[in-house]
Amino acid sequence: QVQLTESGGGLVQPGGSLRLSCATSLSGFTFNNYAMKWYRQAPGKERELVASISSGGDSTDYADSVKGRFTISRNFAERTVFLQMDSLKPEDTAVYYCNAKRRFSSTDYWGKGTLVTVSL
């Protein structure tokens, strides 16, 4: 069973930064077969895709609302994915979820989420 564990959420003031981490239980070889994504879900809203990174780490994509402020990256040795969030806004407040999507497959896995609150 693949396990994803998010951490790094918390309360931050507008304009501040947070770095989210997603630790995976995937073996070193298997980790290379998964594209990794960060989603978020704000209260009363649907879950939305925030950022994604390819299995090889050479391609990234972002939602328009976070472009230029968020950066997704992955560390193959640690089998961990990160989301660096800068210039945070109150509208970034949400539970952030990590997702692992296996290449050429419909199989994917989810973490339990970490709460990010941007407020004075």
Side-chain angles (χ1 to χ4, degrees):
Q1 180 70 22
V2 174
Q3 291 186 334
L4 307 177
T5 306
E6 302 97 335
S7 62
L11 174 64
V12 63
Q13 292 185 352
S17 298
L18 282 175
R19 189 190 194 208
L20 304 184
S21 299
C22 172
T24 76
S25 65
L26 300 169
S27 69
F29 173 78
T30 307
F31 184 64
N32 297 350
N33 289 336
Y34 285 81
M36 302 298 296
K37 304 178 181 183
W38 286 97
Y39 286 78
R40 68 185 181 186
Q41 187 166 19
K45 295 187 177 181
E46 294 187 353
R47 190 172 297 188
E48 63 172 344
L49 178 61
V50 174
S52 62
I53 187 166
S54 62
S55 57
D58 56 344
S59 177
T60 59
D61 197 16
Y62 299 91
D64 287 342
S65 59
V66 306
K67 279 182 181 177
R69 301 189 297 120
F70 290 11
T71 304
I72 188 172
S73 61
R74 63 193 296 164
N75 183 309
F76 290 93
E78 297 179 0
R79 303 189 301 277
T80 301
V81 179
F82 304 97
L83 185 67
Q84 177 67 41
M85 305 187 297
D86 299 317
S87 302
L88 283 162
K89 305 175 180 180
E91 51 263 43
D92 295 319
T93 295
V95 177
Y96 284 71
Y97 297 91
C98 180
N99 173 272
K101 173 71 167 60
R102 186 176 176 84
R103 288 192 305 172
F104 313 122
S105 171
S106 60
T107 301
D108 69 348
Y109 301 94
W110 292 89
K112 294 183 179 181
T114 185
L115 176 62
V116 172
T117 303
V118 184
S119 179
L120 292 172

